[in-house]
Amino acid sequence: MKTIMAIKTGILTTALSLIMISNIGHANEALPAGISSKLPATNFAEHVAKINASPAFFAALAQQKDEGPVINLNLLRYRPRGDSTRYDMYGAAAGKEIAGVGGDIVFHGKALNDMPSVYSMSNEWDGVAFALYPRRSAYLQLQTASDYQLAIPDRVAGTYARMLYVLSDGKSFYAAENTVEGFHANGTRVNFEEGNVVVSEFLKFKADGGEESYKQYASVFAPLLEAAGGGVVLSAVAEMPIVSEQYWDHFVAFRFPSVKAMQDFYHSDDFQEANALRLESLDDSLAVLSEPEVIPGG
C-alpha cells in the first residue's frame, strides 16, 4: 500500500509541474475523471487535455483494486493526419518503458479510412494500439519513468487527439481467441496473417434490454464470421475512460481475412438480417478498421 501511495504521489507531483498531464478544460469546466470535452480545442491546454490523462484520472485509478492485467486501448489521431512520424518517436520510448514494467503492445494497426460510409467505420482515427499491463499499478509506475516523461512532448506534438480506455476481462459475448489474462499469462499477441484487417469497436448498450439483444446478435454473428474465415479477437469490458469524450460499456475486435472478405460479409443477406438485432441493442458504437502492423520484439 505504501508503494502504491508513493507512486500516486510522485505521479501527481510530476504531472502538475509539467502540465503535460493537465486537466485544464474549456473554460475550466468540471468533467469526470477520464472524460474530455467534446468541444474542439482552442488553446494548448485544451489540446493537451484531449491527449494526456489527467491527475484526476490517476488519482481515481490508484483507488481501484490492483488485481489482474488490463489493456489500455488507444485510438490515435496523428498530427498531421495519417503521419505517425512524430508519434513514433514517443512510441519507441514508450514501448521500452512498457516492457520495463512487465507490459507489451499486443496489437498495433494502421487505420484504413477510405471505406464507404455503408460500413459504419469511423474515419476520425489513424492508428489503433492495445497496450497490455500486468496490473493497474504498472501503468501508474510507468508515469514515473524519466525516459517516458521525456517522450511525452513527442506524443503531444504528434497527435491531435487520443481515445484511451481501460479494458478488463469480465462479461464476454463471444468465445474470443484472446482474453486480457491470456495475453499476459501466455506472453502472446494478436495473431494475424498478411492481408488481414481488424475491426475495433466500442459499444454502448441501450439501458432497456440492450445487452440481451446484443447477446442474441453475437450468437448469430460469430458463426457467420467464422464461416467467412474470420474470428473474434477480443471481447472485454470497457472498464474506465482514461481519455474519452464519452463512456462505453464493452469493446470487441474482429479479424477478417481481407478487406474484400469484410465487404462481402457486410453485404451478405445473412449479416443484414442479424444486424437488425445489433441495431436494436445499441445506443451508440465506434468502429475503426485497421491493417495490422508487425511489432518489433514479437
Side-chain angles (χ1 to χ4, degrees), residues 157-170:
T159 48
Y160 283 112
R162 284 198 304 168
M163 179 178 156
L164 190 56
Y165 225 98
V166 177
L167 308 180
S168 59
D169 288 328

Side-chain angles (χ1 to χ4, degrees), residues 184-244:
H184 172 59
N186 302 319
T188 53
R189 293 174 172 174
V190 172
N191 290 322
F192 61 88
E193 298 178 358
E194 185 176 356
N196 285 183
V197 292
V198 172
V199 177
S200 300
E201 185 174 27
F202 281 94
L203 308 172
K204 182 68 175 178
F205 298 120
K206 289 183 178 179
D208 185 13
E211 287 195 17
E212 185 58 34
S213 293
Y214 190 85
K215 184 178 179 180
Q216 295 176 43
Y217 162 74
S219 69
V220 178
F221 173 81
L224 292 177
L225 179 62
E226 184 177 359
V232 180
V233 172
L234 182 66
S235 177
V237 176
E239 180 181 305
M240 184 180 186
I242 304 175
V243 182
S244 176

Side-chain angles (χ1 to χ4, degrees), residues 14-23 44 48-49 51-55 149 151-157:
T14 302
L16 289 170
S17 64
L18 289 179
I19 198 177
M20 285 298 127
I21 311 178
S22 172
N23 194 35
F44 179 71
V48 169
I51 299 170
N52 292 345
S54 69
Q149 286 287 346
I152 288 177
D154 290 320
R155 183 173 73 197
V156 172

Side-chain angles (χ1 to χ4, degrees), residues 4 7-8 12 18 27 34 45 47-48 51 61 95 112 133 158 196 207 211 226 238 241 251 258 270 272 282 286 292:
I4 297 296
I7 292 172
K8 173 185 171 184
L12 298 184
L18 289 179
H47 169 66
V48 169
I51 299 170
L61 185 67
L112 302 177
Y133 296 92
N196 285 183
E211 287 195 17
E226 184 177 359
F251 174 83
S258 64
D270 287 340
Q272 291 300 324
L282 300 176
L286 172 60

